[in-house]
Amino acid sequence: MAKPTLLLIDGNSLAFRAFYALINQVDRFVNHEGLHTNALVGFNNLLDGIIEPFNPDLALVAWDAGKTTFRTGKFDNYKGNRDNTPQELVEQFEPLRQMVSLHGIKSYELSGYEADDIIGTMARIGEADGYSVTIVTGDRDLTQLVSDDITVWVTKKGISEIDHYTPAMIAELYDGLEPKQIVDIKGLQGDTSDNYPGIAGIGPKTALKLIKKYHSISEMYEQIDDMKASKQKEKLINGKQDALLSRDLAEILTDAPVTISLSDLEYKGPDYENIIPFYQHLDFKAQLVKLANQGYTVPTSGHNEDAEFDLNNTELAVSEITPASLTHVSQLQGTVSFYLELDDENYHTANPVGFVIGNQENGYFASRDMELLTQNSPVKKILEDQTILKNVFNAKELYVSLKRLDVALKGVNFDLLLVSYLLDTNDNNNDLGALAHDNDYYAVMTDEEVYGKGAKFAIPEADADLFEHLGRKAMAINLLREPLLELLSKHEQTKLYEEIELPLTKILADMESTGITVDSEQLLQMRSKLTERLSELEQKIYQQAGHEFNVQSPKQLGVVLFEEMKYTPIKKTKTGYSTSVEVLEKMGDVSIVASILAYRQVAKIQSTYVEGLLRVIHGSDSKVHTRYLQTLTQTGRLSSVDPNLQNIPVRIEEGRQIRKAFVPSQADWQILSADYSQIELRVLAHITGDKNLQAAFINGEDIHAATARRIFGIKDDEPVEGNIRRQAKAVNFGIVYGISDFGLSKNIGVSRKEAKAIIETYFDQYPDVKKWSDDIIASAREKGYVETIAHRRRYLPDIKAKRFNARSFAERTAMNSPIQGSAADIIKIAMIKVQEAIAKAGLQAHMLLQVHDELIFEAPESEMADLEELVRNVMDSAVTLDVPLLVSSHVGASWYDAK
DNA sequence: GGCCCACCG
DNA sequence: AGTTCGGTGGGCC
């Protein structure tokens, strides 16, 4: 029969490990009362992930009882070099013990002894009583206890990985030594973290060699006279006291006067009833979700008034649609929730795998049969009925997917994904379950929990399982609607939602479905030319380097440049030499560097753009259909994926050629591009109220020249030289980003001192810009968030962080987000108005793309003049600011030509 | 899956 | 001690 098991846990060392594993995020793990929880989180994961599955018969967590122990009596400086335990950790010790207790594990400490000694003692007692003992610790010192019946698990990499120490492993690590000899090694080499010395001048290698030869420190000194004279012998003789003391300190007691016995240590398992309020107190939402999914009820959370609704309403009435129940479905009215599941995130190509429709009053109806959405089905009728309001999750995905099934979705009224994102841009997770959990609703699982991820992704075969999940999603959408809409209203975001984001969703869906035509012939021609250039450059580089290597590997390139060719490294990355453009350009006129820069440029065009685009052209219509992510960025911008059409090359001619492949979808049509000029600087002028900055725009001045005159004191009748204007331009942009003197000096190539003076002059000349910057940071600190002109909100928890870096970052973000985000608001409003105007004018034109401050259209040549005027008028009047908005536009046969 | 690098506004 | 905002994608290791 297998032996009974005893688990001994080193509470202090694991708490330290857990704390420091998440030290970078210490300010993020704080509960609603301000208690830090990073160590609690890590410790809890350990208990859940390791201890619970292990399910021992007996378990104990041992804790240090205080700073003074019998070891400090022997050696004043024992652990004397340790900094005081941070307050953020100290405050977690008491809840840690509660947590241990709620997991059904006994805690124990003993005055005058360390946790190690309790563990050593209990381990030997357990071993003698016939237990298989496992010790879990963050401290490798405990490996001295390893025996046939005692295994030591030591966490590493924070606490995410664990090494299992057995006698065989010790033998391997210490060249055949036994576990108990580790203390002799430590006696000789010392321990810097515990601050005992060992023998000066004896390191790990010598220590190992000596103990291998003499077995122990005491045997070594017995034979020391026979040792031949050497410096080492002298060190050993002089250090005898230190060695004996250090050995003593390193040795873990196995006979501490503990007052507990094995019979006190029964492992009871978690106390579910009481651990839930405990987790709630700590704001451990993920843990609550786990418990809820295991069937443990989570009562309504008390502290978060904003999100208080009935989590216990988990009764779900979901049934498969049958010919008979179709009558019920057809009678649905008022408001319904609809959810369509796809087998892939790219909804332009994914297959629908099931859907659900219904509400709380009439129940939910699910099916895998997509035929039920087509022809004259009642479901299609409901979806196309403007008067029946739909609650959905990700309306844009639904518009596009349903359009592919020939269903024209109407009456979308609530989009859970969109609303959650507007409430908190961090809630941009595309998973409905996860997002519901963020809003304290736990009666639905995440897709990963139900479907798995990666290679394991699979839609459940059993109808009951799939329909339950779909039904719960639909129910979550319905139940979250009211509380979240109420929050929107509290945040003054109802207009943002109803008049900007929700209408925009439909427009983006149409743009995506329309797609833009890509001339693959053009790309194929480019590809063969670029292939040739790449192989020429490659050969040249090999010649310059003297051998072949992977030019695309920064690591190999670093070796070639900075080791073999002995150029001086200018900058390092975390993993080695930096070989970025910035570095390579600083290396000056070196032929291999020029070749590499050229190679990189061409390789980028080839792989990302030529080949990347060719891969995503749809065979059916020769177009690419990007997806705009409307709920991702922290500022309110869109992003574009599969393919990304917001970063098509433009600055360098060779890359710009790519734009020749973007052409109108029909003969005799053209491309129109219209973009806002300096929209962010205009927004800056508006929201800061700075009269000097506003005057420049109102008077139609060249803003960079105007800034140049101000910061470099150039008189009105003197010209602004190109290089000076370029510097001023960098300053104008830098201000928007919260640049430092360091950053500006690097950017425009002046000294740091000069850069500092320039920034100061800028703020003198535009005093209200300075005032606004200070004010917005103060406001962010007070409210915890910043806002755009349309009340788009970004929370900045780090604005109060103690860490300089995190705080500075938050301060720059506090300035930049209202500017970048307001610009995003403006172009979104413009898109809605342009679409309306095009419809009203009865034009055939399509809006195709948005690139942050630019809109791209296609239209018949015959209506292009009208379209251009319409677009310009709508864009420059989209909103009224204290400065004018300026739009420039161009027409051409391709995107390249519309410049 | 993280890192480096390069492209966009 | 680090130093300019917001993104996506390819390739390496």
Side-chain angles (χ1 to χ4, degrees):
Chain A
M1 215 182 90
K3 290 187 170 187
T5 49
L6 166 63
L7 188 64
L8 299 168
I9 299 162
D10 184 350
N12 282 76
S13 77
L14 292 175
F16 269 91
R17 285 292 186 115
F19 180 79
Y20 285 105
L22 289 173
I23 184 71
N24 287 330
Q25 299 180 60
V26 67
D27 290 320
R28 284 186 204 284
F29 287 89
V30 179
N31 82 342
H32 59 278
E33 289 180 349
L35 173 75
H36 290 87
T37 57
N38 60 330
L40 286 154
V41 168
F43 208 101
N44 195 69
N45 288 342
L46 208 72
L47 291 175
D48 271 6
I50 297 170
I51 304 349
E52 220 169 292
F54 190 88
N55 196 21
D57 296 297
L58 307 180
L60 173 72
V61 177
W63 301 94
D64 293 347
K67 270 201 138 177
T68 326
T69 64
F70 73 93
R71 287 191 182 83
T72 44
K74 291 181 177 183
F75 182 54
D76 285 351
N77 272 335
Y78 180 67
K79 294 196 178 178
N81 60 341
R82 295 219 178 160
D83 292 337
N84 281 337
T85 309
Q87 185 52 39
E88 291 90 339
L89 174 55
V90 171
E91 70 190 31
Q92 297 183 60
F93 277 120
E94 192 46 43
L96 274 168
R97 290 182 191 219
Q98 282 175 37
M99 189 161 84
V100 165
S101 161
L102 288 165
H103 276 84
I105 306 172
K106 169 106 179 160
S107 274
Y108 184 69
E109 64 182 56
L110 182 60
S111 181
Y113 296 85
E114 294 183 57
D116 292 3
D117 303 310
I118 300 169
I119 289 176
T121 304
M122 296 313 290
R124 292 283 182 247
I125 293 174
E127 186 179 31
D129 265 28
Y131 281 83
S132 165
V133 181
T134 300
I135 295 168
V136 186
T137 176
D139 186 350
R140 272 182 44 168
D141 287 356
L142 275 109
T143 55
Q144 63 184 269
L145 297 170
V146 165
S147 74
D148 286 343
D149 291 315
I150 302 177
T151 307
V152 176
W153 295 3
V154 183
T155 59
K156 62 173 189 182
K157 270 199 192 168
I159 52 168
S160 56
E161 281 180 38
I162 288 197
D163 281 336
H164 296 217
Y165 286 83
T166 56
M169 181 149 165
I170 299 284
E172 198 177 315
L173 278 173
Y174 290 94
D175 200 15
L177 294 191
E178 288 178 29
K180 62 176 182 82
Q181 292 174 293
I182 292 172
V183 296
D184 293 290
I185 299 271
K186 298 206 71 164
L188 293 179
Q189 76 180 51
D191 184 318
T192 48
S193 81
D194 286 349
N195 200 36
Y196 52 78
I199 296 180
I202 304 283
K205 282 187 181 163
T206 319
L208 185 62
K209 208 176 70 194
L210 289 168
I211 299 304
K212 248 203 101 115
K213 186 166 176 196
Y214 297 105
H215 309 294
S216 71
I217 290 180
S218 52
E219 284 177 61
M220 179 183 82
Y221 281 113
E222 279 165 21
Q223 298 174 43
I224 194 129
D225 295 340
D226 304 337
M227 216 182 269
K228 66 173 187 246
S230 71
K231 266 223 161 115
Q232 192 179 77
K233 180 175 177 180
E234 219 167 289
K235 280 185 204 163
L236 292 176
I237 292 170
N238 291 337
K240 184 170 180 181
Q241 285 302 357
D242 282 340
L244 292 175
L245 175 66
S246 296
R247 187 200 175 285
D248 216 20
L249 291 169
E251 184 163 41
I252 290 169
L253 289 196
T254 52
D255 57 354
V258 296
T259 55
I260 45 167
S261 63
L262 294 179
S263 59
D264 301 324
L265 306 186
E266 184 199 349
Y267 172 64
K268 301 187 192 75
D271 172 0
Y272 289 110
E273 196 173 311
N274 289 309
I275 209 162
I276 287 172
F278 180 72
Y279 283 159
Q280 281 182 308
H281 174 70
L282 296 180
D283 296 338
F284 277 13
K285 292 189 177 173
Q287 296 300 319
L288 291 167
V289 173
K290 245 173 85 179
L291 290 175
N293 288 330
Q294 288 165 21
Y296 296 99
T297 311
V298 178
T300 311
S301 60
H303 64 271
N304 190 350
E305 290 169 42
D306 284 350
E308 199 168 349
F309 37 90
D310 191 2
L311 295 172
N312 296 316
N313 196 348
T314 55
E315 283 295 309
L316 169 71
V318 62
S319 58
E320 175 165 12
I321 300 179
T322 62
S325 72
L326 212 47
T327 321
H328 291 293
V329 176
S330 67
Q331 285 164 358
L332 288 169
Q333 47 183 309
T335 302
V336 298
S337 144
F338 180 80
Y339 187 87
L340 177 71
E341 194 75 270
L342 304 176
D343 66 356
D344 186 86
E345 65 177 350
N346 188 344
Y347 46 73
H348 292 297
T349 50
N351 301 303
V353 295
F355 71 88
V356 59
I357 188 165
N359 55 32
Q360 290 298 96
E361 296 76 48
N362 301 291
Y364 296 90
F365 303 91
S367 177
R368 295 182 195 259
D369 183 5
M370 292 307 139
E371 296 284 310
L372 288 169
L373 293 180
T374 59
Q375 299 143 14
N376 292 318
S377 103
V379 182
K380 174 168 173 168
K381 223 173 137 197
I382 291 171
L383 293 173
E384 295 189 335
D385 187 339
Q386 177 82 47
T387 67
I388 300 181
L389 302 183
K390 278 62 161 210
N391 297 339
V392 304
F393 179 84
N394 198 347
K396 184 155 63 62
E397 170 178 308
L398 208 49
Y399 280 125
V400 174
S401 310
L402 287 176
K403 188 170 185 176
R404 292 176 57 210
L405 296 166
D406 198 31
V407 177
L409 177 65
K410 294 195 185 69
V412 172
N413 181 261
F414 174 67
D415 183 344
L416 173 58
L417 175 63
L418 192 56
V419 170
S420 312
Y421 166 75
L422 295 177
L423 287 171
D424 185 345
T425 49
N426 291 310
D427 288 0
N428 60 6
N429 191 328
N430 248 8
D431 187 276
L432 191 155
L435 206 144
H437 302 163
D438 285 347
N439 288 290
D440 285 357
Y441 180 91
Y442 298 106
V444 58
M445 290 205 257
T446 65
D447 285 341
E448 196 179 318
E449 284 168 320
V450 178
Y451 303 143
K453 68 169 175 179
K456 285 186 192 153
F457 179 90
I459 302 294
E461 279 176 29
D463 286 347
D465 293 344
L466 177 62
F467 297 159
E468 162 97 14
H469 186 50
L470 297 187
R472 288 201 170 273
K473 286 188 177 188
M475 186 167 77
I477 296 169
N478 273 330
L479 292 180
L480 282 161
R481 175 194 160 114
E482 285 311 316
L484 294 192
L485 287 181
E486 199 165 306
L487 276 176
L488 267 187
S489 158
K490 263 194 196 171
H491 291 191
E492 299 177 295
Q493 293 180 304
T494 305
K495 264 184 87 171
L496 169 65
Y497 170 61
E498 289 180 352
E499 295 178 21
I500 301 180
E501 295 296 339
L502 199 53
L504 183 70
T505 299
K506 170 69 170 125
I507 291 170
L508 292 173
D510 289 343
M511 289 164 67
E512 294 177 11
S513 290
T514 302
I516 184 165
T517 305
V518 175
D519 179 355
S520 52
E521 275 308 313
Q522 178 84 30
L523 292 179
L524 289 168
Q525 280 178 24
M526 280 187 81
R527 181 164 70 175
S528 49
K529 280 187 196 150
L530 295 179
T531 305
E532 205 174 313
R533 278 217 50 204
L534 279 174
S535 76
E536 284 166 15
L537 283 166
E538 196 181 53
Q539 291 309 319
K540 197 166 163 195
I541 292 166
Y542 292 160
Q543 216 171 25
Q544 288 158 328
H547 62 89
E548 296 191 1
F549 67 101
N550 187 346
V551 184
Q552 306 225 63
S553 162
K555 198 175 159 188
Q556 293 180 35
L557 178 60
V559 172
V560 169
L561 291 179
F562 306 118
E563 290 177 13
E564 297 170 13
M565 300 179 81
K566 311 234 188 276
Y567 290 107
T568 316
I570 292 171
K571 207 176 121 190
K572 276 191 149 185
T573 68
K574 281 178 196 164
T575 49
Y577 308 109
S578 171
T579 64
S580 64
V581 180
E582 198 198 330
V583 169
L584 298 188
E585 279 175 352
K586 274 195 190 137
M587 290 174 62
D589 196 14
V590 175
S591 67
I592 188 171
V593 166
S595 309
I596 288 159
L597 286 170
Y599 182 94
R600 285 232 181 110
Q601 230 172 53
V602 178
K604 175 71 177 178
I605 297 166
Q606 180 77 311
S607 64
T608 305
Y609 297 107
V610 176
E611 290 172 347
L613 278 171
L614 282 168
R615 262 199 300 277
V616 292
I617 296 174
H618 287 226
S620 51
D621 59 6
S622 301
K623 291 176 170 184
V624 292
H625 299 266
T626 187
R627 280 178 295 135
Y628 287 106
L629 306 186
Q630 195 185 351
T631 57
L632 182 134
T633 68
Q634 294 296 309
T635 55
R637 276 190 174 180
L638 302 175
S639 78
S640 159
V641 295
D642 299 334
N644 180 356
L645 297 181
Q646 293 182 320
N647 72 344
I648 303 300
V650 65
R651 292 171 194 170
I652 295 165
E653 178 55 31
E654 198 169 6
R656 191 173 193 148
Q657 297 284 329
I658 294 284
R659 294 181 173 225
K660 286 186 171 163
F662 289 85
V663 295
S665 62
Q666 301 176 48
D668 302 321
W669 282 42
Q670 290 177 314
I671 299 289
L672 164 68
S673 157
D675 66 285
Y676 283 113
S677 300
Q678 298 122 10
I679 189 166
E680 290 194 351
L681 289 174
R682 287 167 196 266
V683 167
L684 180 72
H686 172 79
I687 61 177
T688 60
D690 188 280
K691 294 298 171 209
N692 292 347
L693 197 52
Q694 290 186 355
F697 285 118
I698 290 167
N699 299 333
E701 291 171 37
D702 171 342
I703 187 62
H704 302 312
T707 294
R709 287 185 188 283
R710 287 186 173 275
I711 61 183
F712 297 117
I714 302 166
K715 300 210 182 76
D716 284 355
D717 54 359
E718 290 171 22
V720 176
E721 281 169 25
N723 190 42
I724 293 296
R725 183 180 179 280
R726 195 183 54 75
Q727 293 196 357
K729 185 174 175 179
V731 174
N732 274 334
F733 284 117
I735 292 295
V736 174
Y737 301 143
I739 202 172
S740 65
D741 52 7
F742 176 87
L744 184 65
S745 77
K746 216 167 61 167
N747 197 337
I748 63 177
V750 300
S751 77
R752 200 166 156 177
K753 215 168 149 187
E754 287 169 297
K756 191 165 181 225
I758 289 174
I759 292 172
E760 276 167 13
T761 313
Y762 180 98
F763 283 134
D764 285 346
Q765 292 294 316
Y766 298 118
D768 283 342
V769 174
K770 173 68 176 157
K771 181 173 179 346
W772 178 82
S773 308
D774 295 341
D775 289 351
I776 194 77
I777 290 168
S779 160
R781 209 168 281 149
E782 183 194 321
K783 295 183 185 163
Y785 62 87
V786 291
E787 278 183 316
T788 66
I789 53 175
H791 297 286
R792 189 186 302 284
R793 193 177 272 212
R794 180 174 186 178
Y795 288 95
L796 297 168
D798 278 351
I799 199 87
K800 291 182 176 170
K802 290 201 181 67
R803 294 163 291 136
F804 175 85
N805 255 344
R807 192 176 62 250
S808 304
F809 192 70
E811 288 172 355
R812 293 195 294 271
T813 315
M815 284 178 55
N816 178 259
S817 291
I819 300 167
Q820 188 183 117
S822 296
D825 294 344
I826 293 169
I827 196 163
K828 283 177 168 179
I829 293 167
M831 290 169 77
I832 294 163
K833 293 188 171 175
V834 165
Q835 195 77 322
E836 278 169 10
I838 287 177
K840 197 169 161 205
L843 300 180
Q844 299 173 65
H846 300 136
M847 180 156 58
L848 300 178
L849 305 175
Q850 188 250 45
V851 192
H852 308 309
D853 64 358
E854 175 186 13
L855 296 174
I856 317 291
F857 302 82
E858 63 172 7
E861 211 177 317
S862 57
E863 63 179 48
M864 198 44 102
D866 289 345
L867 178 70
E868 186 168 10
E869 188 181 342
L870 176 154
V871 168
R872 295 181 64 114
N873 286 337
V874 173
M875 283 177 75
D876 68 25
S877 66
V879 296
T880 306
L881 303 182
D882 294 343
V883 291
L885 289 174
L886 184 67
V887 176
S888 55
S889 61
H890 307 275
V891 176
S894 70
W895 194 1
Y896 178 90
D897 298 301
K899 61 176 178 184

